[in-house]
Amino acid sequence: MSVWDDVVGQPEAVATLRRAATEPAAMTHAWLLTGPPGSGRSVAARAFAAALQCTGTDGVTGGCGRCHACTTTLAGTHPDLTVVATEKVVIQVSEVRDLIVAAARTPAAGRFRVILVEDADRMAERTTNVLLKAVEEPAAHTVWVLCAPSAQDVLPTIRSRCRSVTLRVPPAQDVADLLVRRDGVDPDLALRAARAAQSHVGLARRLARDPEARRRRGEVLEIARRIRGVPDAVLAAADLVDVAKAEATADTAERDAVEKAELLRALGVAEGETLPPRLRSQLKQLEDDQKRRATRRQRDVLDRAMVDLLSLYRDVLVVQLGAEVDLVNDEHAATVQAVARDSTPEQTVRRMDAIGEARERLEGNVAPLLALEAMAVALRPQG
C-alpha cells in the first residue's frame, strides 16, 4: 500500500514527486501540478502532501500510506495541511489572505506546512497578485502546491516561481483497473465507464456505480439524433439547461440548508426567530456564496454534457473516416452509425467547433440558454 496507489497512469509525475519527498536536493517550496480534467491533479497533490508529511512504516518513507501522518493527510485532517477546493466560480481575495496567514505559521506536528490550492485557475489577477509574495518568499517549512488545467491558466508571475509537474490523460484500462481494485466494479462495466468518461477517474467511478448517471448521459447523446430543425434545437437547449439547474439544486439544496442552520445557531438565532438587522449581512454573505456555488455546479454539469456530445461526434468522425480506433461510446454505436450516415465529415467537424464555441461562451459568462441554443441550432442537419 502507498499514497501513490490511486494516482493512475502517471509514472513520470509520481517519480518526480516521490523523489522530492525523500531527497532534499530535489525539493522546492512551490509546485504547480497541471493536467486535463480527470487526470488526477487533486489526487496527486494530496498524495504528494501525504508523502511530505510521512513519518514512515517498516522503514518505508515518502508516502507509506499506513502511518498516522499519511492517513490524516489523505483524509484532509492533518493539522499542517490547508486545502482550498472551491465550488464557486472564483477564489476570493479574502480566502487567499487566510491562506497567507496559515502559510506563515510553523508546522504544529508535521515536517512541513502544506498549502494546497486545487483550483488555482479560479483566482482572478488581483487575487493572484495578493498571493505572489507568499509564494515567492515562503516561510522556511511551508510548501505551496497549486493545481490547474494548464500552466497558461496561472499568471506568469506565479508559474515562474513554481516547479511544474504535468499530468497526462491516463489510459482507460488503467482507470478501469482502479475501479475494479478499489470499488469492486465489474471489469466490463469499469472499462465502458472509463471510456465514456474519457479516463476522468471521478466521472468513471460515478458512471460505473450510478445507473441514473448512465441514463442521463445516454439522453444527452440522443440529442445528436433528436435535433432535426430549429424548434427541436431550442427545445433541446432548454432541456439541457433545466436538467443542469435541477442537478445543481439537488446537489446543493441539502448542504445549503445545513450551512444556514449552522450559521443561525452560531449567531444565537433560534429556529423560526426573526433575524436581527445587525446580523443580516452575515446571512446575505452565506446566501451569495451558495448562489455562486450553484452557478459553478450548473456550469460544470452543462460543460460535462457538451464534452459527452463532443465524444459522440468524435466517434462519428472515426466511423466516417474509417479510422481503426476504439469508439468512446461503444454502447451507443447505433446512434453513432445513424449520425455518421446522415452527415459528412465536414459537417461533423463544424458541429464539434460549435460545441467548442459554446463551451468558451459559457466560460465567458454568456447566459447558458443563449449559448446552448446557438450550439443546438448548429447541430441540426444541414441540407
Side-chain angles (χ1 to χ4, degrees):
M1 180 181 176
S2 164
V3 299
W4 306 104
D5 288 349
D6 288 349
V7 184
V8 179
Q10 311 293 344
E12 297 86 357
V14 167
T16 298
L17 296 172
R18 190 196 294 267
R19 186 165 58 251
T22 55
E23 300 177 14
M27 186 58 188
T28 188
H29 67 278
W31 296 79
L32 176 60
L33 274 58
T34 62
S39 57
R41 296 188 306 264
S42 299
V43 175
R46 287 177 183 263
F48 182 42
L52 290 173
Q53 304 291 16
C54 180
T55 55
T57 301
D58 299 329
V60 177
T61 58
C64 68
R66 296 182 296 276
C67 69
H68 182 70
C70 280
T71 55
T72 54
T73 301
L74 290 177
T77 58
H78 194 286
D80 296 319
L81 172 69
T82 302
V83 179
V84 173
T86 187
E87 294 175 310
K88 295 176 288 187
V89 177
V90 295
I91 296 175
Q92 297 178 321
V93 172
S94 58
E95 295 176 89
V96 171
R97 290 194 176 118
D98 291 342
L99 286 183
I100 293 171
V101 172
R105 301 188 188 119
T106 56
R111 299 168 58 207
F112 298 95
R113 181 164 292 281
V114 181
I115 310 295
L116 170 54
V117 183
E118 292 190 354
D119 305 286
D121 55 306
R122 295 187 186 177
M123 289 189 291
E125 183 173 353
R126 175 168 170 259
T127 307
T128 305
N129 289 335
V130 171
L131 182 66
L132 179 59
K133 188 170 180 60
V135 173
E136 187 175 33
E137 300 175 6
H141 294 284
T142 296
V143 178
W144 289 87
V145 183
L146 311 179
C147 302
S150 73
Q152 287 67 40
D153 291 316
V154 180
L155 285 182
T157 49
I158 290 289
R159 67 173 182 256
S160 65
R161 289 159 175 81
C162 299
R163 181 173 178 188
S164 293
V165 176
T166 303
L167 281 67
R168 62 181 183 175
V169 176
Q173 187 62 58
D174 288 358
V175 175
D177 291 344
L178 174 67
L179 296 177
V180 172
R181 169 171 54 83
R182 188 181 64 184
D183 302 302
V185 177
D186 174 77
D188 289 338
L189 176 58
L191 185 56
R192 289 198 305 273
R195 286 176 175 166
Q198 297 177 70
S199 294
H200 188 301
V201 178
L203 288 172
R205 185 170 189 260
R206 185 178 182 185
L207 288 172
R209 293 163 57 94
D210 184 359
E212 183 64 18
R214 296 196 295 272
R215 184 193 65 77
R216 285 196 300 269
R217 184 177 185 276
E219 289 180 352
V220 169
L221 297 183
E222 280 299 315
I223 287 175
R225 276 206 294 188
R226 178 176 140 200
I227 296 176
R228 310 306 299 174
V230 173
D232 294 334
V234 173
L235 290 174
D239 287 347
L240 277 176
V241 173
D242 288 344
V243 168
K245 285 181 179 178
E247 189 164 335
T249 299
D251 287 349
T252 60
E254 182 176 350
R255 181 173 172 183
D256 288 352
V258 170
E259 289 176 344
K260 182 177 180 180
E262 289 177 349
L263 175 62
L264 293 177
R265 187 163 51 251
L267 295 175
V269 179
E271 185 177 353
E273 185 179 338
T274 302
L275 190 67
R278 70 180 185 280
L279 301 179
R280 288 175 185 168
S281 63
Q282 296 182 54
L283 180 60
K284 178 68 163 55
Q285 179 63 50
L286 174 64
E287 290 173 343
D288 288 345
D289 286 345
Q290 291 175 340
K291 286 178 182 176
R292 283 190 284 266
R293 183 168 64 203
T295 297
R296 181 75 255 172
R297 178 61 182 151
Q298 181 184 343
R299 289 183 184 177
D300 288 345
V301 172
L302 288 174
D303 188 70
R304 187 65 234 171
M306 288 186 281
V307 169
D308 288 336
L309 276 173
L310 274 175
S311 74
L312 182 85
Y313 285 115
R314 173 265 187 198
D315 287 347
V316 169
L317 197 59
V318 164
V319 171
Q320 289 173 331
L321 298 179
E324 295 182 359
V325 296
D326 293 332
L327 297 182
V328 170
N329 302 284
D330 189 52
E331 68 274 29
H332 297 280
T335 298
V336 171
Q337 295 287 348
V339 176
R341 284 193 305 269
D342 293 343
S343 60
T344 65
E346 291 78 15
Q347 289 174 332
T348 301
V349 171
R350 284 198 295 271
R351 287 167 169 168
M352 295 174 77
D353 287 342
I355 297 171
E357 186 174 353
R359 295 182 71 196
E360 291 178 2
R361 287 173 174 170
L362 271 185
E363 196 64 31
N365 290 324
V366 172
L369 185 57
L370 291 178
L372 270 291
E373 282 181 349
M375 178 199 77
V377 168
L379 299 184
R380 75 190 194 283
Q382 305 292 320

